[in-house]
């Protein structure tokens, strides 16, 4: 029997890839067919995502995939949350989307809170306060020149799906990052839309993961250079939702750390946690695959490393990350900083910002690049451990182990430091958890994997290379 193939488009803030998920009997594998860079660029006084160019890269990746696997059945798209594109009545892009790292919302947060208090917002949408959440971006947008021409808002994975099929829908996991989705019903909150003067017609109809959005446009098939019956299937289009779906858990009492540009730490629950304590601790109740609740907190991540590498390279002091990680593992634990410091969010001279944060807290500042990387990894590990403990206490549950997934899973120092800080075993892997989750949802929808998420996870757990770190006494 021929292998069944599903395409995963996974677009992150620093890069994207198109991958083939191959299911051959009981054997599952992932193959990367195309990687490409991404990054917000300054244009028209804003930091903008180059979505038109990124879509061309997606098409190139699908073209290569179809050439290698002409039997590919479906493609699913996931990206980061929050950001969106504005379309006119003809479905045309009004401007390249503004990045969440643009500081435009700083002046409008108070206006949003004047109309809907933080407590009311949390009770309605269950989200952690982040100044770049979509509701704040839209408050700024309403004051701009494009607003009068806007007919539709498309979250970024939905925009790619629209360009592939001509069908515009909003997938629920990513909709839950906007702050406009009712945390209990999973529908757009009419109350919030009215109080924030956001037209209901602006938001496309909602769909859940595992729905066939439609076949590819004829023009898209022509660009692929092959006749293909591939369709677009919705997945957990918020990359965090796909990553959590891809956690290779074989039990229920686990926490996850999705370690990428940002770090998402938390639990998978059946119901949201909407207590005052959860709001005070700044936790989110985002939607996951199968309507599960991703009770999590968004903290700093490998952006601190990426920006440090960029800063050193701009000064002519280009560093090799693998060498830095190896050197950092040979150092003693040093300064630990708050990875959630707002100073670290926008692009900037990260090594100096990290050193200043250490000095301000009475610690010896990291000086060398190796010391800086050690500082970041120890700080992330401490943040992960504290967030896991807090999530368990707020949800009134116990955690027996931590799954470390995403790019950070390939860093042994981070895995061991997290186990030590949390006092819990840490299973690291898969690095490609987001792609696994993306493919799993498609494969379930098309009958190529069991319908149960637990059964599909068990298959991934047995098919991927995992490493476990046991806690040591500090």
């Amino acid at each position: 029997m021929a292998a069944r193939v599903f395409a995963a488009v996974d677009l992150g803030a620093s890069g994207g890839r198109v991958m083939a998920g191959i299911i051959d009997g009981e054997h599952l594998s992932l193959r990367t067919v195309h990687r490409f860079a991404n990054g917000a660029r300054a244009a028209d006084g804003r930091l903008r995502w180059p979505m038109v160019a990124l879509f061309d890269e997606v098409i190139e990746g699908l073209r290569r995939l179809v050439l290698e696997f002409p039997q590919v059945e479906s493609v699913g798209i996931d990206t980061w949350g929050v950001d969106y594109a504005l379309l006119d009545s003809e479905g045309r892009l009004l401007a390249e989307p503004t990045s969440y790292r643009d500081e435009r919302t700083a002046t409008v947060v108070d206006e949003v809170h004047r109309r809907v208090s933080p407590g009311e917002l949390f009770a309605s949408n269950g989200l952690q306060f982040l100044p770049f959440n979509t509701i704040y971006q839209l408050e700024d947008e309403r004051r701009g020149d494009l607003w009068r021409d806007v007919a539709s808002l498309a979250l970024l994975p939905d925009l790619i799906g629209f360009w592939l099929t001509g069908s515009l829908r909003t997938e629920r996991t990513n909709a839950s990052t906007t702050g406009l989705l009712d945390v209990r019903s999973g529908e757009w909150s009419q109350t919030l839309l009215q109080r924030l003067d956001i037209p209901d017609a602006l938001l496309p109809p909602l769909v859940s993961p595992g729905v066939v959005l439609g076949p590819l446009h004829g023009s898209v098939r022509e660009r692929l250079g092959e006749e293909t019956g591939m369709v677009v299937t919705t997945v957990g289009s918020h990359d965090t939702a796909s990553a959590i779906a891809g956690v290779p858990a074989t039990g229920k009492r686990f926490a996850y750390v999705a370690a990428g540009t940002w770090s998402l730490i938390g639990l998978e629950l059946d119901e949201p946690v909407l207590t005052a304590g959860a709001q005070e601790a700044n936790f989110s109740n985002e939607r996951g695959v199968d309507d599960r609740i991703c009770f999590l907190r968004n903290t700093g991540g490998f952006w601190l490393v990426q920006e440090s590498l960029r800063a050193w390279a701009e000064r002519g002091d280009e560093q090799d990350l693998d060498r830095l990680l190896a050197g950092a593992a040979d150092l003693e634990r040093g300064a630990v900083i708050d990875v959630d410091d707002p100073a670290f969010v926008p692009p900037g001279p990260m090594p100096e910002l990290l050193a200043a944060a250490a000095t301000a807290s009475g610690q010896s500042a990291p000086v060398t690049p190796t010391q800086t990387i050690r500082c970041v990894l120890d700080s992330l590990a401490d943040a992960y451990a504290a967030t896991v403990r807090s999530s368990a206490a707020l949800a009134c549950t116990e955690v027996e182990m931590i799954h470390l997934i995403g790019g950070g899973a390939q860093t042994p120092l981070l895995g061991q430091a997290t186990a030590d800080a949390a006092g819990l075993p840490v299973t690291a892997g898969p690095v490609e958890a987001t792609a696994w989750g993306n493919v799993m949802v498609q494969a379930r929808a098309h009958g190529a994997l069991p319908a149960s998420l637990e059964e599909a996870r068990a298959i991934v757990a047995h098919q991927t290379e995992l490493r476990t770190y046991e806690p040591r006494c500090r």
Side-chain angles (χ1 to χ4, degrees):
M1 185 177 178
R4 301 185 68 175
V5 179
F6 301 89
V9 174
D10 176 28
L11 184 58
S14 58
R17 60 266 182 94
V18 178
M19 305 188 75
I22 306 162
I23 301 176
D24 192 357
E26 296 183 355
H27 182 69
L28 277 67
S29 61
L30 285 174
R31 187 180 305 176
T32 302
V33 296
H34 185 48
R35 285 188 182 271
F36 48 94
N38 186 25
R41 305 168 185 174
D44 305 322
R46 293 280 172 85
L47 278 177
R48 297 189 182 275
W49 299 111
M51 287 305 298
V52 174
L54 291 173
F55 184 68
D56 287 341
E57 295 285 4
V58 169
I59 293 296
E60 174 59 19
L62 292 177
R63 187 190 67 80
R64 296 183 187 183
L65 190 146
V66 169
L67 284 173
E68 188 172 357
F69 303 101
Q71 76 270 37
V72 60
E73 300 177 37
S74 168
V75 57
I77 305 112
D78 67 74
T79 77
W80 64 95
V82 173
D83 286 344
Y84 57 86
L86 298 177
L87 306 178
D88 68 12
S89 60
E90 301 296 322
R92 294 173 301 205
L93 191 65
L94 289 170
E96 295 276 31
T98 301
S99 167
Y100 64 86
R101 291 199 185 275
D102 189 280
E103 298 182 86
R104 63 177 175 150
T105 62
T107 60
V108 300
V109 169
D110 289 344
E111 173 58 23
V112 171
H113 291 171
R114 184 186 66 79
R115 284 186 273 165
V116 187
S117 71
E120 290 176 293
L121 281 174
F122 186 76
S124 180
N125 62 31
L127 285 194
Q128 169 184 4
F129 168 71
L130 293 168
F132 47 74
N133 282 345
T134 312
I135 55 171
Y136 305 114
Q137 293 198 50
L138 286 176
E139 180 61 28
D140 175 79
E141 208 77 69
R142 291 192 322 109
R143 306 172 185 210
D145 295 336
L146 298 179
W147 192 249
R148 64 179 180 271
D149 297 321
V150 175
S152 300
L153 179 149
L155 298 177
L156 300 189
D158 303 317
L159 177 67
I160 295 173
F162 174 56
W163 283 346
L164 288 173
T165 67
S167 178
L168 181 57
R169 297 290 185 270
T170 306
E171 189 279 314
R172 276 189 171 83
T173 67
N174 216 6
S176 74
T177 73
T178 66
L180 297 171
L181 196 77
D182 185 280
V183 67
R184 294 179 179 85
S185 70
E187 303 295 333
W188 294 122
S189 170
Q190 296 303 314
T191 299
L192 289 180
L193 293 177
Q194 290 168 13
R195 291 178 65 178
L196 295 172
D197 294 326
I198 299 170
D200 181 52
L202 189 72
L203 303 174
L206 291 157
V207 293
S208 295
V211 173
V212 174
L213 192 61
L216 301 182
H217 264 317
S219 59
V220 171
R221 290 199 302 272
E222 289 175 10
R223 292 183 66 182
L224 296 183
E226 287 280 340
E227 279 299 322
T228 174
M230 178 167 44
V231 299
V232 175
T233 303
T234 59
V235 297
S237 68
H238 183 208
D239 52 10
T240 301
S242 274
I244 294 169
V247 169
T250 54
K252 288 194 171 182
R253 292 188 172 180
F254 68 90
Y256 50 78
V257 177
T261 300
W262 288 93
S263 300
L264 291 304
I265 307 108
L267 311 174
E268 184 177 72
L269 303 175
D270 294 326
E271 299 291 337
V273 180
L274 300 173
T275 61
Q279 182 186 359
E280 184 177 352
N282 218 14
F283 271 76
S284 275
N285 295 270
E286 296 176 0
R287 219 162 187 85
V289 170
D290 292 352
D291 287 330
R292 301 185 188 192
I293 297 298
C294 304
F295 181 60
L296 55 83
R297 193 168 185 278
N298 191 332
T299 75
F302 275 73
W303 167 255
L304 306 181
V305 173
Q306 294 160 2
E307 272 296 280
S308 295
L309 292 171
R310 184 189 63 80
W312 290 320
E314 284 186 349
R315 300 165 198 165
D317 185 22
E318 192 154 353
Q319 298 289 328
D320 179 76
L321 180 56
D322 289 339
R323 188 172 299 173
L324 288 178
L325 291 171
D330 292 333
L331 297 178
E332 294 294 324
R333 179 180 165 91
V336 173
I337 50 88
D338 177 9
V339 296
D340 293 330
D341 189 326
F344 303 148
V345 174
M350 193 60 69
E352 286 73 22
L353 293 171
L354 294 167
T359 301
S361 60
Q363 304 173 85
S364 297
V367 177
T368 68
T370 305
Q371 290 172 343
T372 299
I373 296 302
R374 178 76 201 215
C375 169
V376 169
L377 295 181
D378 283 334
S379 300
L380 289 175
D382 280 13
Y384 297 168
T387 306
V388 167
R389 286 193 290 268
S390 182
S391 65
L394 291 166
C396 300
T397 190
E398 294 181 3
V399 171
E400 296 177 349
M401 68 176 303
I402 299 171
H403 282 277
L404 176 62
I405 56 177
Q410 58 193 333
T411 305
L413 175 57
L414 182 62
Q416 188 62 62
T418 301
D420 295 344
L424 291 169
V426 171
T427 295
V431 173
E432 304 289 4
T434 301
W436 276 116
N438 182 317
V439 168
M440 283 165 53
V441 170
Q442 294 182 73
R444 290 193 320 164
H446 293 273
L449 279 180
S452 161
L453 185 56
E454 279 69 30
E455 289 179 280
R457 281 174 166 163
I459 293 172
V460 172
H462 288 99
Q463 295 284 335
T464 56
E465 184 177 344
L466 306 174
R467 181 171 181 178
T468 297
Y469 301 91
E470 295 293 339
R472 306 172 302 190
C473 294
R474 281 184 173 175

